[in-house]
Amino acid sequence: MSAVITGVDAHSPAYRAGLRAGQTLLKINGVSIRDVLDYKFYAYEARLKVQIQEPDGSGRTVLVKKQDGEDPGIAFEDYLMDKARSCSNKCIFCFIDQLPKGLRDTLYFKDDDARLSFLMGNYVSLTNLSSADVERIIKQRISPINISVHTTDPQLRALMLGNPRGAEGFSVIRRFAEEGICMKCQIVVCPGINDGKQLEKTLEDLSALYPMVGSISVVPVGLTRFRQGLHPLKPVEGPCAREILDISDSIGEACLKNTGSRIVYCADELYLKAGAELPDMDYYEDFPQFENGVGMLTALKDEFNSQLSVMTAPKQKLSQAIATGLAAQPIIKSLVDAAAAKCNNIDCKVYGITNCFLGESVDVAGLVCGGDIIKQLKGKPLGSRLLVPATMLRHGGDVFLDDVTPAQVKEQLGVPVLAVPVEGSQLLDALCGDI
């Protein structure tokens, strides 16, 4: 545990009680605090007897008075107050195992931590949970939890996760449902392994647990060119993508009729691979799986077109370019063309970048690398700047997946790089030169 206090908000309940940086939190109301979840749970009450250790090793107890649910105002040296739990699985489809050597260390860390699922929205496999962890989740009402399911067949799940404990996953999910723990589920489809009848059964098993299983995303497996020595897998291609859509939509329609919610949603990538039209906005209800790439392009198009109908045309012509993934390139180009048709001062070329770094089957924008942008756009007309979706860059916007920086792209191509959030209004503002 790392419960050293690094800061106390001025005028907060903790500050008024005399807590200061440098002290270590030991217990709240007599309960030892193991990590951030314990802290949040036991610090909820209005009166807290907080046992601390001073920097000199002495201990004392202070009384913190506040409102129920009010944050005491304490910051710790580590957000989790503990080490993140790394993944013990050997998933046959693990994307991290398919990365080349030599990238920054953080790209190779596999977390499988239910605390990060609750706090940050990360997806977990449940194989790291002890029986005590399960009981704590139920007791503390840690909900929702995002779960990577892939299949509800015990033996097949153990195979896919490369971990015998994978077989226990669906029984834990059922227990959580019985105890009122909300879950969001994800299925990574690997052709010939968990598609077809297996996918149908998995979707039926999970959707039967509604409303505790509130939504299920279905996404295609991502395969790079660095799969030497790994489990043989086939990519999701046109006919397979269409079959996945048919199965998912059939069960989703039945769910909509029976429960009022579709529950099952396919990633945008599946529609693109199948050559199918993206659903409209109403299809996605409240976009419960947006962070999984479910409905992002529909939302982008809808917001872009809404803003386009009321846009003020730029007074001066701005020539620029966009770099995106091959999958999204036709959609982005159609939006740019619509804007250019309304205003002849908008001049923007859209380039789809082939992913040579990871392999040409990787065609999503978020995995396009800076080196590929440089090689493929050098000498091309780019105008005064290059727009890229913000998803191409690490959180903070400072580096592409291959550790190439926007500054290096600018140096090689001779134009500045602007990262644009994947939002329709932001894209239109960028086209008009407003950002």
Side-chain angles (χ1 to χ4, degrees):
M1 185 185 79
S2 181
V4 175
I5 297 172
T6 56
V8 180
D9 295 341
H11 312 299
S12 66
Y15 188 89
R16 293 194 298 269
L19 294 178
R20 297 293 185 268
Q23 299 167 339
T24 300
L25 173 66
L26 300 177
K27 295 182 179 181
I28 295 178
N29 291 340
V31 179
S32 295
I33 303 303
R34 294 166 290 180
D35 58 21
V36 64
L37 295 186
D38 277 353
Y39 171 70
K40 288 180 175 293
F41 183 74
Y42 291 106
Y44 185 89
E45 296 180 11
R47 294 172 62 87
L48 308 176
K49 290 183 179 179
V50 179
Q51 184 177 332
I52 60 170
Q53 184 181 67
E54 298 287 0
D56 63 7
S58 62
R60 65 189 179 98
T61 300
V62 300
L63 179 64
V64 177
K65 298 179 181 179
K66 61 184 190 61
Q67 299 295 317
D68 278 345
E70 182 183 1
D71 190 329
I74 304 172
F76 299 95
E77 65 177 356
D78 185 276
Y79 178 70
L80 286 176
M81 302 166 65
D82 190 13
K83 292 181 179 179
R85 296 176 184 173
S86 61
C87 182
S88 59
N89 302 327
K90 289 288 185 181
C91 296
I92 61 174
F93 52 84
C94 178
F95 196 80
I96 294 175
D97 287 344
Q98 303 176 68
L99 291 177
K101 296 179 180 179
L103 303 178
R104 58 187 180 274
D105 290 344
T106 53
L107 289 175
Y108 302 104
F109 179 73
K110 308 175 189 178
D111 78 76
D112 193 19
D113 198 319
R115 298 168 301 180
L116 290 173
S117 176
F118 172 63
L119 296 167
M120 303 291 190
N122 298 20
Y123 276 77
V124 294
S125 69
L126 306 179
T127 57
N128 264 344
L129 294 184
S130 66
S131 57
D133 290 329
V134 171
E135 296 305 321
R136 180 169 78 148
I137 288 170
I138 293 168
K139 177 182 179 182
Q140 297 184 4
R141 316 305 300 164
I142 298 170
S143 177
I145 293 179
N146 298 338
I147 303 173
S148 292
V149 181
H150 314 309
T151 177
T152 53
D153 180 279
Q155 285 69 43
L156 182 57
R157 191 167 192 267
L159 169 69
M160 292 190 71
L161 298 187
N163 188 335
R165 292 206 62 201
E168 305 166 12
F170 189 50
S171 62
V172 175
I173 290 171
R174 281 189 301 218
R175 173 83 193 285
F176 283 160
E178 291 167 0
E179 297 289 349
I181 301 299
C182 295
M183 293 163 280
K184 291 167 63 176
C185 295
Q186 177 195 64
I187 298 169
V188 175
V189 179
C190 300
I193 296 176
N194 65 332
D195 57 345
K197 292 295 183 182
Q198 284 288 350
L199 175 62
E200 189 174 344
K201 180 181 185 301
T202 298
L203 291 175
E204 289 173 348
D205 288 343
L206 292 174
S207 60
L209 300 179
Y210 181 82
M212 294 302 99
V213 170
S215 64
I216 308 161
S217 63
V218 182
V219 304
V221 63
L223 304 178
T224 79
R225 63 186 178 92
F226 300 96
R227 287 198 56 82
Q228 294 80 5
L230 300 178
H231 193 287
L233 292 177
K234 296 182 290 185
V236 174
E237 297 177 328
C240 180
R242 286 189 287 275
E243 181 186 36
I244 293 169
L245 289 177
D246 289 344
I247 292 171
S248 302
D249 282 343
S250 174
I251 292 175
E253 287 295 330
C255 291
L256 185 62
K257 180 179 179 180
N258 295 330
T259 70
S261 174
R262 185 172 299 279
I263 306 174
V264 180
Y265 306 90
C266 286
D268 296 354
E269 192 179 353
L270 281 168
Y271 291 94
L272 299 179
K273 289 181 180 295
E277 288 290 323
L278 291 165
D280 59 23
M281 290 285 285
D282 291 341
Y283 177 93
Y284 295 102
E285 300 173 26
D286 60 351
F287 288 82
Q289 293 274 353
F290 191 79
E291 73 284 353
N292 261 339
V294 176
M296 277 188 176
L297 290 175
T298 291
L300 175 74
K301 290 172 60 178
D302 184 81
E303 187 176 24
F304 185 94
N305 290 326
S306 295
Q307 291 295 110
L308 184 62
S309 66
V310 296
M311 71 171 284
T312 300
K315 295 179 181 179
Q316 294 183 338
K317 192 166 187 175
L318 175 63
S319 295
Q320 52 192 333
I322 294 175
T324 188
L326 289 176
Q329 192 264 351
I331 290 175
I332 301 301
K333 187 177 186 306
S334 71
L335 297 180
V336 170
D337 288 348
K342 183 170 182 179
C343 174
N344 58 15
N345 274 348
I346 291 178
D347 175 23
C348 184
K349 292 179 171 58
V350 181
Y351 295 102
I353 304 298
T354 300
N355 200 321
C356 300
F357 183 79
L358 293 176
E360 295 187 12
S361 66
V362 180
D363 56 5
V364 294
L367 295 175
V368 168
C369 298
D372 285 334
I373 292 175
I374 292 170
K375 290 174 185 175
Q376 295 172 44
L377 296 189
K378 201 150 196 175
K380 298 283 181 68
L382 302 176
S384 61
R385 64 180 181 176
L386 178 66
L387 311 180
V388 300
T391 52
M392 281 187 190
L393 299 172
R394 181 175 64 178
H395 182 68
D398 59 346
V399 67
F400 291 89
L401 181 65
D402 57 353
D403 291 332
V404 172
T405 66
Q408 290 172 314
V409 175
K410 175 184 177 182
E411 181 182 355
Q412 292 294 317
L413 297 182
V415 294
V417 176
L418 175 67
V420 181
V422 185
E423 299 173 8
S425 60
Q426 297 267 24
L427 177 58
L428 186 57
D429 284 345
L431 292 176
C432 294
D434 294 334
I435 59 172

